Structure formats: structure tokens, C-alpha cells
Amino acid sequence: TEGLLSSIIVSKYSDGLPLYRQEEIFSRFDIDIPRSTQARWVIQAATKLIPIYNVLNERLLLSDYVSCDETRFQVLKEKDRKAEQQSWMWVRSTPSGQNKIILFDYDPSRAGSVAEKLFLDFKGYLQCDQYGGYNQLEENEFIIRVGCSMHARRYFEKAFTIGSKSGKVLAEQALEFYQKLFSIEEEIREKEPCERKKTREEKSKPIWDEFKEFVDKNKSKIPEESKLGKAFTYFSNGYLHLTKYLEDGRLEIDSGFVERAIRKFTIGRNNWMFADTEAGANSSALLYSLIVTMKVNQVNPYKALKYVLEELAQLDETTSADQLLEKYESLADIILAIKPIPEK
């Protein structure tokens, strides 16, 4: 039933229960549902849910502010690849607005061609770190790259905690700049975009100017290969991107929103460790997309997924293309909390 299938999916992708553990739980009640059967059901369900993902993807690309990051992933059985090779889960999100979208996309590669494919039709602000895979997107005149100060700050934190003793003083001074900048963001978090922009111009920009002057003054004194040297280089190379958020009050100082989404994925990954096949990896990406999007919009994932699967089961060959599109749009609205889950 749709209820059983939804329970298995939510238990794995929301509660972090691997299928083998669910098999053990079912067996306590003398119910025989092998993990291989569950895995097949999950992949079949994900296939049926692809149109819903496509609607969410179109809406994400139509927004004008998206953040992106990647995290490691392992697939055991993949063509022309060894089981121990690392693959990647790319995560895109809409950080602003009331109804947020978070999408996971599996790919064995971390190359720039993947980023190019994911943002093919996107126009607007793209917030990401300084990973070189995003560099070719800057050739797209419609994409404005925004940096992440959380990533930049980590370099100085490493220099302060595990770097050489001689660099700790300068690293601590750099962290003080970040403390001031992030404190301002806390003060204006609930303000309207226009007020956020004004406050940043008055308070944040002078701090950034002073911060840059501090880095420029001390950079040449520090070995490039040291922890602090790498922090200075990261800051200098990304300065224009790091300060781009000052242009628009809707933008964030960092990509913390997408990082929190990735954390939901990594918690589950720590339990089930890997995907067996590429089909399983793609199914996991799609189901994480739906489950995490539901949760961030305060939608009950079990009730919503059960309803969506029940509605999809009623579609048949007589359903017209227009009716299908209308149905998929409506189900996406439920996932995003734009519409309530209908009672049955």
C-alpha cells in the first residue's frame, strides 16, 4: 500500500533507518519484507515521483537566488568505476522566500560540466564556495556568483587552532572581523530586504574595507603554503564574491541554508553508508529532495508522501498532458506547503 511504502521511505530518508534495520523491525512482527524487496519498491516509487521533482526543479531555476554545495557519496556497483571511488551528491536550494526548495542530484563527477548542466537555464544570484567547478559558470552573463563567508572563515579558524604559533595572532584578528560581520547579520535577520541592504552599506561595508586592507597589508609576510597563507589567499581570490551579498538585501552572507540541508543527508548517510547501484543513488537523491523539502516547509512527510503516491496511482493512459501537468503542479504545491494535505 501507499502507506507502507511511505513509511519505509520516510523511515530511511527522514529518520535515517537503513533498509536492513527496517527488515529486522518487520521480522519482529513476523512480517517478511527483505531489504532487496524494499529497495526495489523504493526505486519504483522514485521513478513515479520524477515528474514532481521536475516541477520543483523548474521552479528552483525560475527563482533568481539559489545556493549550491556538494558532498561525497559512495556507490558500490557502478559501470567502469571501483567501489571505493568517491562520487558526489550536489545540493541546490532556494535560501530566501517562504516556500523553500531543496534538491539533491547524484553524479559520479564533481567537474564543472555538472554545475553547468544543473544551472543551464538559471538566471540570477548563485551562492557557492570557491571550488573551481563553478568557475565556468561565470562565463554565463546571466549568472552572478556570490561567495560564502562560512567557507572563508573556516580557513582562518584552522589557522588559529592548528596553524603555526606565529600566525595565530593574525588569524585571531581576522576572526574578529568575521565576528563583527556575522553579528550584524544576526541583528538584521528578520528585517525587510531593503533595510538589510541599508544596514549593510552603513555597517558591514566599512568592516569589509578594513578587513581587505588588513589582509593586503599582511599577506606578503606569510608563507603561501601555511594555514594562514591559504586563508589569506582564499579571502583575496574570492573578495569580490564574498562581498557580493551587499548588493541585495535578500542575499545571505553565507550558504548556511544549503549546508544545513546537506547535514540532514549526511546524518542518514552515516547510517546506511553507501548506495548499492547508480539507480539507488538517483532514487536516494530524488527522495531526499522531496523529504527534506517537505521538512523545511513544516510539511508532515509521511502524510504528504502517502497522499502524493495515492494520487499518482489514480493516473492512467486516459489522462491528458494538460491534466497531468496540472496534477503534478498541485502535488508540488502540497510538498511546498502552498496547499494543505487534503483529508481522505
Side-chain angles (χ1 to χ4, degrees):
T1 66
E2 291 84 358
L4 174 59
L5 186 53
S6 299
S7 176
I8 291 171
I9 291 172
V10 171
S11 292
K12 177 173 181 178
Y13 296 105
S14 179
D15 304 329
L17 273 177
L19 298 183
Y20 77 87
R21 289 188 187 171
Q22 295 193 57
E23 178 183 353
E24 293 173 355
I25 293 170
F26 284 126
S27 69
R28 293 176 197 157
F29 302 96
D30 297 322
I31 300 171
D32 181 25
I33 310 181
R35 72 193 76 174
S36 58
T37 300
Q38 295 180 57
R40 186 175 70 254
W41 289 352
V42 168
I43 292 174
Q44 290 171 338
T47 302
K48 294 290 185 183
L49 291 163
I50 288 174
I52 312 300
Y53 168 91
N54 290 340
V55 171
L56 296 175
N57 184 55
E58 289 175 8
R59 294 187 184 183
L60 178 140
L61 293 174
L62 285 172
S63 68
D64 61 353
Y65 175 29
V66 173
S67 58
C68 186
D69 207 345
E70 333 81 47
T71 187
R72 289 178 176 81
F73 191 55
Q74 188 177 9
V75 180
L76 297 185
K77 301 170 185 174
E78 198 163 17
K79 186 178 179 181
D80 300 325
R81 288 172 63 83
K82 297 178 180 179
E84 62 269 18
Q85 282 185 268
Q86 289 290 341
S87 296
W88 299 89
M89 195 68 81
W90 293 70
V91 188
R92 296 171 293 160
S93 70
T94 53
S96 65
Q98 183 175 357
N99 307 104
K100 295 178 173 61
I101 299 171
I102 301 172
L103 299 181
F104 292 74
D105 294 272
Y106 168 73
D107 202 285
S109 172
R110 199 188 181 201
S113 57
V114 182
E116 199 169 28
K117 175 182 65 178
L118 292 175
F119 292 97
L120 183 62
D121 299 316
F122 177 70
K123 298 178 181 179
Y125 292 103
L126 169 60
Q127 189 159 38
C128 55
D129 59 23
Q130 290 183 48
Y131 168 57
Y134 297 104
N135 290 349
Q136 61 197 73
L137 293 179
E138 294 186 56
E139 298 175 9
N140 186 329
E141 62 179 319
F142 299 110
I143 293 179
I144 304 169
R145 188 169 174 179
V146 184
C148 172
S149 284
M150 185 182 295
H151 283 83
R153 182 176 62 181
R154 284 177 187 153
Y155 279 82
F156 288 105
E157 288 173 344
K158 288 180 180 178
F160 179 71
T161 56
I162 61 176
S164 63
K165 186 175 181 180
S166 59
K168 289 185 182 294
V169 174
L170 290 176
E172 185 176 22
Q173 288 179 268
L175 290 173
E176 289 174 359
F177 284 113
Y178 277 119
Q179 184 176 7
K180 293 175 184 177
L181 291 166
F182 277 90
S183 294
I184 293 170
E185 294 305 305
E186 285 299 316
E187 292 173 9
I188 63 175
R189 186 158 303 282
E190 304 302 324
K191 304 292 184 181
E192 292 296 318
C194 57
E195 191 172 346
R196 281 157 60 100
K197 184 176 185 295
K198 182 181 178 182
T199 302
R200 287 168 174 172
E201 289 174 348
E202 294 174 352
K203 296 183 178 180
S204 300
K205 190 178 183 307
I207 297 173
W208 279 108
D209 292 340
E210 187 180 354
F211 197 174
K212 186 177 186 303
E213 184 179 347
F214 163 80
V215 172
D216 291 343
K217 177 182 176 182
N218 293 285
K219 185 180 177 183
S220 60
K221 306 174 186 177
I222 305 298
E224 289 186 10
E225 293 305 311
S226 67
K227 296 292 184 185
L228 185 58
K230 291 179 180 179
F232 280 154
T233 299
Y234 192 95
F235 178 93
S236 297
N237 291 346
Y239 180 75
L240 293 179
H241 297 145
L242 292 171
T243 55
K244 186 65 68 173
Y245 80 102
L246 299 173
E247 293 183 1
D248 192 317
R250 296 171 305 146
L251 305 180
E252 299 293 340
I253 190 173
D254 59 38
S255 54
F257 182 78
V258 74
E259 287 214 357
R260 288 188 290 275
I262 286 178
R263 200 170 297 127
K264 299 178 191 300
F265 167 79
T266 56
I267 290 172
R269 183 187 61 192
N270 289 341
N271 289 328
W272 44 265
M273 303 294 288
F274 49 77
D276 191 47
T277 64
E278 185 176 356
N282 285 319
S283 297
S284 291
L286 186 145
L287 293 168
Y288 262 115
S289 298
L290 301 188
I291 297 297
V292 176
T293 295
M294 290 178 202
K295 292 180 73 173
V296 79
N297 289 295
Q298 285 79 53
V299 173
N300 183 311
Y302 171 76
K303 289 184 178 180
L305 185 59
K306 179 174 179 288
Y307 177 81
V308 168
L309 290 174
E310 288 171 345
E311 290 295 298
L312 291 177
Q314 295 177 22
L315 302 177
D316 56 35
E317 297 80 6
T318 64
T319 311
S320 69
D322 288 341
Q323 288 174 321
L324 284 174
L325 182 58
E326 184 179 352
K327 173 61 71 175
Y328 298 146
E329 293 281 357
S330 178
L331 295 178
D333 285 344
I334 289 171
I335 288 171
L336 292 170
I338 295 172
K339 290 182 178 179
I341 304 170
E343 296 290 337
K344 285 194 174 184

